[in-house]
Amino acid sequence: MFDRLPDDLARLITLRTWHAMWLERIDAKIAAVRQHEAERERARRARPPRPEWVVELGIGDGRPPLEVHAGHCYAIGTRRLAVSHNEARQLLADGVRACSHCTPDTTLEIPLSSRPALATTARRRSLAGHQQQAGRPEGVP
């Protein structure tokens, strides 16, 4: 089917020229794609590793820490700082909020009693629940 070529020299030369042009275009495109893939691979290798723990920072003077996240968490804001394992534990122990999506407090095994803000809230809830069970209105000893 494709073996039927013209019999005259002029048309054969035209076909060869046309195919040579297309081969040059294809070769140029192959080279460009290879270069692009090599650049992407170099960029991937040069990218710093994802941090294990991240603290989300607030706005303003001193940029106070707002929330602790695991490094893979999708809920990390744009103002962030990578922290070590020990720094993340210390921030959580000091009362910085733990992300409710990645739960770093559970992963870092921070007991509720060592988290001042949460321990107080948990004690209040526990006391309120105990008082309601005893038949007393909430807030009355």
Side-chain angles (χ1 to χ4, degrees):
M1 178 176 172
F2 292 109
D3 58 345
R4 295 192 49 153
L5 294 172
D7 292 331
D8 62 300
L9 185 60
R11 285 192 297 172
L12 286 170
I13 291 173
T14 302
L15 283 173
R16 188 187 186 297
T17 304
W18 184 82
H19 283 284
M21 236 176 30
W22 271 103
L23 280 175
E24 285 178 23
R25 290 179 69 185
I26 292 169
D27 289 343
K29 185 65 174 189
I30 289 171
V33 169
R34 283 184 176 156
Q35 181 180 356
H36 179 71
E37 287 177 357
E39 288 170 359
R40 283 182 47 200
E41 181 62 24
R42 274 194 304 276
R44 188 189 64 76
R45 283 191 205 142
R47 187 178 308 141
R50 183 168 45 194
E52 191 175 359
W53 304 103
V54 176
V55 63
E56 188 173 346
L57 303 172
I59 301 173
D61 277 344
R63 296 173 53 159
L66 297 177
E67 199 168 47
V68 177
H69 297 269
H72 67 274
C73 183
Y74 65 90
I76 302 171
T78 55
R79 295 176 313 274
R80 62 180 90 180
L81 178 66
V83 293
S84 69
H85 179 85
N86 291 334
E87 289 172 313
R89 286 182 60 87
Q90 186 61 48
L91 286 165
L92 290 169
D94 290 345
V96 175
R97 185 175 64 223
C99 173
S100 60
H101 299 278
C102 62
T103 60
D105 51 343
T106 305
T107 307
L108 290 168
E109 299 175 354
I110 305 291
L112 185 62
S113 60
S114 70
R115 306 254 337 260
L118 289 180
T120 305
T121 304
R123 277 195 296 265
R124 277 193 223 131
R125 287 182 185 156
S126 175
L127 182 59
H130 179 68
Q131 287 174 346
Q132 284 179 344
Q133 287 176 353
R136 292 183 230 138
E138 193 173 330
V140 176

mmCIF file of all heavy atoms in Angstrom, residues 18 36 40 97:
data_model
loop_
_atom_site.group_PDB
_atom_site.id
_atom_site.type_symbol
_atom_site.label_atom_id
_atom_site.label_comp_id
_atom_site.label_asym_id
_atom_site.label_seq_id
_atom_site.Cartn_x
_atom_site.Cartn_y
_atom_site.Cartn_z
ATOM 1 N N TRP A 18 10.571 16.932 1.713
ATOM 2 C CA TRP A 18 9.449 17.143 2.629
ATOM 3 C C TRP A 18 9.608 16.286 3.893
ATOM 4 O O TRP A 18 9.447 16.762 5.010
ATOM 5 C CB TRP A 18 8.145 16.806 1.898
ATOM 6 C CG TRP A 18 6.912 17.071 2.713
ATOM 7 C CD1 TRP A 18 6.292 18.256 2.891
ATOM 8 C CD2 TRP A 18 6.152 16.109 3.436
ATOM 9 N NE1 TRP A 18 5.184 18.100 3.689
ATOM 10 C CE2 TRP A 18 5.074 16.772 4.045
ATOM 11 C CE3 TRP A 18 6.278 14.731 3.625
ATOM 12 C CZ2 TRP A 18 4.132 16.138 4.830
ATOM 13 C CZ3 TRP A 18 5.334 14.100 4.413
ATOM 14 C CH2 TRP A 18 4.275 14.801 5.014
ATOM 15 N N HIS A 36 13.425 19.859 28.738
ATOM 16 C CA HIS A 36 12.416 20.244 29.725
ATOM 17 C C HIS A 36 12.324 19.203 30.847
ATOM 18 O O HIS A 36 12.261 19.558 32.027
ATOM 19 C CB HIS A 36 11.064 20.408 29.036
ATOM 20 C CG HIS A 36 9.961 20.786 29.967
ATOM 21 N ND1 HIS A 36 9.872 22.035 30.539
ATOM 22 C CD2 HIS A 36 8.904 20.067 30.430
ATOM 23 C CE1 HIS A 36 8.806 22.078 31.325
ATOM 24 N NE2 HIS A 36 8.207 20.893 31.267
ATOM 25 N N ARG A 40 13.173 19.736 34.861
ATOM 26 C CA ARG A 40 12.229 19.391 35.924
ATOM 27 C C ARG A 40 12.859 18.433 36.936
ATOM 28 O O ARG A 40 12.658 18.567 38.136
ATOM 29 C CB ARG A 40 10.973 18.762 35.325
ATOM 30 C CG ARG A 40 10.058 19.791 34.704
ATOM 31 C CD ARG A 40 8.787 19.209 34.150
ATOM 32 N NE ARG A 40 8.131 18.291 35.061
ATOM 33 C CZ ARG A 40 7.240 17.388 34.694
ATOM 34 N NH1 ARG A 40 6.893 17.290 33.437
ATOM 35 N NH2 ARG A 40 6.673 16.595 35.582
ATOM 36 N N ARG A 97 -2.044 25.863 69.797
ATOM 37 C CA ARG A 97 -3.097 24.983 69.288
ATOM 38 C C ARG A 97 -2.520 23.949 68.315
ATOM 39 O O ARG A 97 -1.660 24.254 67.499
ATOM 40 C CB ARG A 97 -4.160 25.833 68.597
ATOM 41 C CG ARG A 97 -5.361 25.056 68.126
ATOM 42 C CD ARG A 97 -6.445 25.945 67.557
ATOM 43 N NE ARG A 97 -5.955 26.625 66.357
ATOM 44 C CZ ARG A 97 -6.169 27.906 66.083
ATOM 45 N NH1 ARG A 97 -6.831 28.657 66.908
ATOM 46 N NH2 ARG A 97 -5.699 28.431 64.981
#
